Amino acid sequence: IWIFHGFYAEEKLVGNLASMSTSERIKAIQKMPRTMKQKREIRNKVLKEITEESRHHSSQLLCCPQCLQRTVVSFRRFGNSLSECFHLLQLTHKTLKIIGASFGTSVLSYFIFLKWLLAFNIFSFVINFSFITVPQFVAAEPNNLTFTGLELFTGAGYFQETVLYYGFYSNATISKTENGPSYNMQLAYIFTVVIYFVICFFILLFSMAKSFCRNFINPQMFSGTASKLLCVWDFNITNEKAVKLKQKNISMQIKEDLAEVNQEVLNFSATERVVRIIIHLVCWVASLGTAIAACAGVYFLSINNLKVFVKEHKNDFKSQAAMLVLPIVASLLNAFIPFFYSWLGHLERFQTPGYQIYVTITRNTILKISIIGILCYYWLNIVAASESQCWETLVGQDIYRLVLVDFIFCLLGSFFGEFLRRIIGTTICVNLGLPEFDIGRNVLDLIYAQTLTWIGILFSPLLPGIQIISFSIVFYVKKVSLMMNCQPPRKVWRTAQMATSFMLLLFFPSFLGVLSVIGVTIWRLKPSEECGPFRGLSSMYDVVSEWIKILENYTASKWVVWIYYNLITSEFFFFILSVIALIITYLYWQITEGRKTVTKFLKKQIIN
Amino acid sequence: AEAAGAAMGGSGSLLPREALSEYQELTFLSKQEILLAYKRFSELLPKEERENACSARLPKSCILTLPELRANPFQHQICRVFSTSDNMDGSMSFEDFLDMLSVFSDAATLDIKSHYAFRIFDFDEDGALDRKDLEKLVNCLTGDGEGSQLSTAEMEQLIQNILEESDIDKDGTINLSEFQHIVSRSPDF
């Protein structure tokens, strides 16, 4: 069934298509919902019309349009073959298709997120490596320490005198030859880090805004049954068992939805409602209490660690192993407390399962944020003011160990959580069944690892490289574990909304927190006296102020000095920027409200 | 085209280059995907017809052996919508096959996907989704298991909810524009 195009309408269509440019025409023909035969007929008619027109103009312009057309055609063919080459490079494309086919789009969104983070880390590594590490190789000092295998785990020892940590970088102006081009290491270090974070900020902002725009156009329609029903069938699924499972899930979900709509869950009496509220409160207090206890434990352990490390500078096996205790404890807390939270979630009875998932994720996020927060407090306030020789390297080593242990625990978690659970579920305790792939937990683990990397970039510039290796291995292991051990998820998540919430979680707590930590480090903390590119200064930011003072003496760069004094350091400028941003936001909000009213009005008109 | 044929291995006949570039222009598929489709299609044909695969027609029973369609509850509808055969037997030529792959590919626009989805969901082919169509749709979605079919009361309630939400001109059916309106609001499509 299609709308019948009268003869006149078809003539008009052909005329429209003939007047478009070639690429637009191709796209327009592709978009037509007709069979191949009809599209071919229309295309031939259009081409005939074009050649007739060009024959008209041929007397005036001779062979030029033909040459132009030929070059355009060959250019387009080149573009096509280039995009096909790109397709070949997409090694993971096929893997992602297979995952989407067997498990649905929600699990697929985890792997897409992981791939995006991997690409992001490659970009970070390239920037930091080329601007900070490569020049340092030119002016590297020889390394006198010996390499034992233990350094891979503890990050100390041999690695202390390598480019891995901040302490190794020199504060000199490096130049290969006398009077040759020189490279100011101090300025390079601070500018690379700051500009990298500014670029990250904009990338995250635009990705978040794009997915927000796509997925939250009209939140009213979201709770609609119609949209859920008509759009729920995932045509991606090809496995027969998965199809039957999906059908069962859909029917269960429809029945649940209908039951909710028919009788409100809040049919409870007053006492039952009060009891439920009390249960909610108790669970929240329990979860916050656990988070606070975990933080306190981590804090006292790290203070102890610092005493051990600074006072007794032994390099033997026992003290090196003692350095690993803190990261292991932090990862254990991160691995086991979420089980407690999901148990609490089962205890409380929520109105919808979606609400339960969001509450559990919120609690896990609070736990992870508080652990990272307490560690940052410890690093910035206690380690920085301690008597150690090179506190930045100490912090870098701590972060290295945390990242490494977190990676190991991720692999172990996959092994125990999925592989052993499957064996238990199929042989010993058969009514448990196969495990499901816990998307929320895995995504939070990824965001945790990425936050640690971001914090560590200032203190250990090669950390993104380590994270690249770690993420690639995690991708492979998770994929294999998923295929071997898991079943498709039972609850039907709103996948598009999920992808947006991942981005939101990445941006708000994670990135902004990192920005504040880096800001405090650069502005307020005193770099160590004897190591690193900023030795001897009273804060890392002094490099920039001193540089500006030097620039004042050159007339050619007076505009840089002017920008610095009047825009970057003046509070008035930022105040005006914020006021303008608020005004624009308010105007857009009012425009949206106005459009909503117009939509309502138009709908009423359609009915009448 | 010869290199592509060699890469395909023993697929037998080759796809002529002009046809390949024409298909590339008329569908959303890339060259690789068209060649892969050609290979799959000719594998399903009996040996004698493989030489002119472009003009052969596959009967519906063969198409339904494809793994992507085998388990799909909408398999019959899909074959009906994409087939251009004159005697309504659901048989598909290679071009119909390419049309189907093009609409389901990632590169296809939302418009064309929703247009075809509407035709797939329109069981009685009257150009609108009325109550009977919606009933059949829900039954397809929930499957034929014992516990998963909805009771009549539940079905009534569900269809009532759907129509309330999506029927803008309140004529008791969902037409193409209303369907496309809902689909454009829901990014999960």
Side-chain angles (χ1 to χ4, degrees), chain B residues 17-139:
Chain B
R17 193 171 8 147
E18 310 87 52
L20 186 63
S21 63
E22 193 186 35
Y23 290 145
Q24 246 184 308
E25 277 190 19
L26 293 177
T27 65
F28 287 103
L29 301 170
S30 72
K31 191 158 77 167
Q32 244 84 331
E33 292 165 344
I34 298 180
L35 290 169
L36 191 60
Y38 185 73
K39 179 174 169 214
R40 299 283 293 276
F41 190 78
S42 38
E43 274 169 10
L44 291 175
L45 284 174
K47 273 213 153 67
E48 323 79 61
E49 298 188 29
R50 277 193 198 164
E51 280 308 311
N52 45 348
C54 287
S55 36
R57 295 200 84 92
L58 260 190
K60 185 154 130 183
S61 45
C62 283
I63 304 266
L64 292 183
T65 60
L66 278 174
E68 287 84 0
L69 284 183
R70 198 168 33 204
N72 198 320
F74 294 104
Q75 44 185 223
H76 298 286
Q77 285 299 101
I78 294 178
C79 282
R80 180 185 62 84
V81 165
F82 286 104
S83 144
T84 52
S85 78
D86 301 315
N87 43 0
M88 294 301 177
D89 61 355
S91 65
M92 289 174 77
S93 69
F94 182 58
E95 301 193 344
D96 298 335
F97 190 63
L98 279 187
D99 265 335
M100 179 174 77
L101 291 179
S102 163
V103 168
F104 279 110
S105 78
D106 290 331
T109 60
L110 191 64
D111 272 342
I112 203 171
K113 282 195 202 245
S114 55
H115 182 101
Y116 275 98
F118 183 77
R119 286 178 60 188
I120 292 177
F121 291 156
D122 189 4
F123 286 84
D124 51 11
E125 298 178 42
D126 58 357
L129 299 181
D130 57 7
R131 294 190 96 98
K132 290 212 198 64
D133 289 327
L134 290 175
E135 235 179 83
K136 286 212 194 103
L137 171 65
V138 171
N139 281 331

Side-chain angles (χ1 to χ4, degrees), chain A residues 363-378:
Chain A
R363 288 182 181 152
N364 283 331
T365 315
I366 293 180
L367 173 72
K368 290 195 154 71
I369 291 180
S370 21
I371 289 188
I372 293 188
I374 204 78
L375 281 172
C376 286
Y377 174 77
Y378 158 68

Side-chain angles (χ1 to χ4, degrees), chain A residues 1-3 26-27 29-37 39-40 43-44 76-77 80 84 87-88 93 97 214-218 221-233 235 237-241 243 246-248 250-251 254-255 258 261-262 493-497 599 603 606-607, chain B residues 22-28 30-33 67-68 70-74 78 84 95 98-99 104 106 109 112 115-116 119-122 125-127 129 134 137-138 140-144 147-150 154 157-158 161-162 165-166 168-170 174 179 181-189:
Chain A
I1 310 289
W2 51 27
I3 305 160
I26 292 180
K27 283 209 188 88
I29 295 186
Q30 275 176 345
K31 269 195 264 189
M32 290 198 296
R34 302 187 187 197
T35 64
M36 186 91 77
K37 212 167 67 170
K39 281 199 263 196
R40 196 185 284 129
R43 181 165 156 270
N44 291 339
R76 201 173 354 114
R77 283 226 188 97
N80 275 348
E84 272 156 28
H87 260 271
L88 289 176
H93 190 66
K97 274 256 175 297
R214 245 184 305 157
N215 303 333
F216 278 87
I217 302 177
N218 197 347
M221 283 301 249
F222 247 56
S223 45
T225 11
S227 59
K228 254 200 272 182
L229 199 69
L230 293 172
C231 309
V232 81
W233 186 255
F235 278 96
I237 302 187
T238 57
N239 184 352
E240 197 165 312
K241 259 193 289 190
V243 165
K246 185 102 203 251
Q247 285 176 325
K248 204 165 60 163
I250 293 179
S251 97
I254 295 180
K255 289 192 186 164
L258 281 176
V261 168
N262 281 339
W493 284 55
R494 284 198 203 120
T495 58
Q497 219 178 7
T599 322
K603 271 198 186 152
I606 296 182
I607 300 182
Chain B
E22 193 186 35
Y23 290 145
Q24 246 184 308
E25 277 190 19
L26 293 177
T27 65
F28 287 103
S30 72
K31 191 158 77 167
Q32 244 84 331
E33 292 165 344
E68 287 84 0
R70 198 168 33 204
N72 198 320
F74 294 104
I78 294 178
T84 52
E95 301 193 344
L98 279 187
D99 265 335
F104 279 110
D106 290 331
T109 60
I112 203 171
H115 182 101
Y116 275 98
R119 286 178 60 188
I120 292 177
F121 291 156
D122 189 4
E125 298 178 42
D126 58 357
L129 299 181
L134 290 175
L137 171 65
V138 171
C140 270
L141 284 179
T142 55
D144 298 323
S148 35
Q149 292 263 345
L150 297 184
E154 288 172 339
Q157 180 71 37
L158 180 63
N161 290 347
I162 296 178
E165 231 179 82
S166 29
I168 303 182
D169 55 4
K170 303 293 176 212
I174 304 180
F179 183 75
H181 178 81
I182 295 194
V183 157
S184 67
R185 298 294 180 160
S186 167
D188 280 335
F189 187 66

